[in-house]
Amino acid sequence: MTIQKIPISPFVISGDYLFISGQLGFDKNGQLVKGGIEQQTLQILKNIERILLENKTDISKIVKTNVWLTDKNHFNKFNTVYAQFFSGNKYPARSTVLSGLLIEGALIEIDAIARISS
């Protein structure tokens, strides 16, 4: 499958908020990480954290996430990685749904909204 450039911004700042577009488990070379739901979840969360840090904020400022899983049997493994990533912080509000994804091999997609001011 060839992925064409799509009309989307990786993030948008509006007022005091940073809106991060849906992230997939792509590494810095643009390759979908191998190994399953846990590895893709962790890569996505690292990608979100990188965007946050580039915009002078951090995971403690995330107020909402939306999660799309392709398989309901992945929920517990996803949830374990997600909880560990946010450990020590207040969990953001979250919606989690079961859905197909357009990228072959993608098991999960996550977007996020974070405050960028105190």
Side-chain angles (χ1 to χ4, degrees):
M1 169 191 280
T2 302
I3 301 172
Q4 67 182 29
K5 179 135 174 80
I6 56 173
I8 190 171
S9 298
F11 64 87
V12 172
I13 295 172
S14 181
D16 292 338
Y17 291 91
L18 175 69
F19 295 82
I20 300 174
S21 294
Q23 300 291 303
L24 298 174
F26 290 122
D27 64 19
K28 63 182 176 182
N29 298 315
Q31 300 298 311
L32 198 58
V33 296
K34 299 196 183 325
I37 188 66
E38 292 140 318
Q39 290 76 10
Q40 286 190 24
T41 300
L42 183 58
Q43 183 65 52
I44 290 168
L45 294 170
K46 287 179 179 179
N47 293 345
I48 289 172
E49 184 174 41
R50 178 186 44 77
I51 293 169
L52 292 166
L53 293 173
E54 288 171 358
N55 287 280
K56 299 179 176 43
T57 192
D58 60 58
I59 65 169
S60 71
K61 303 292 188 188
I62 295 176
V63 296
K64 174 77 165 99
T65 61
N66 295 299
V67 179
W68 294 266
L69 292 171
T70 61
D71 185 334
K72 67 180 178 181
N73 295 312
H74 291 158
F75 181 73
N76 288 336
K77 289 180 179 180
F78 146 74
N79 218 32
T80 298
V81 174
Y82 186 92
Q84 289 172 348
F85 186 80
F86 286 102
S87 76
N89 291 301
K90 182 177 174 184
Y91 296 120
R94 182 180 93 192
S95 299
T96 306
V97 298
L98 187 62
S99 174
L101 297 175
L102 296 174
I103 304 300
E104 188 174 329
L107 304 174
I108 182 171
E109 182 171 347
I110 304 174
D111 70 18
I113 302 169
R115 287 188 59 84
I116 53 175
S117 63
S118 54

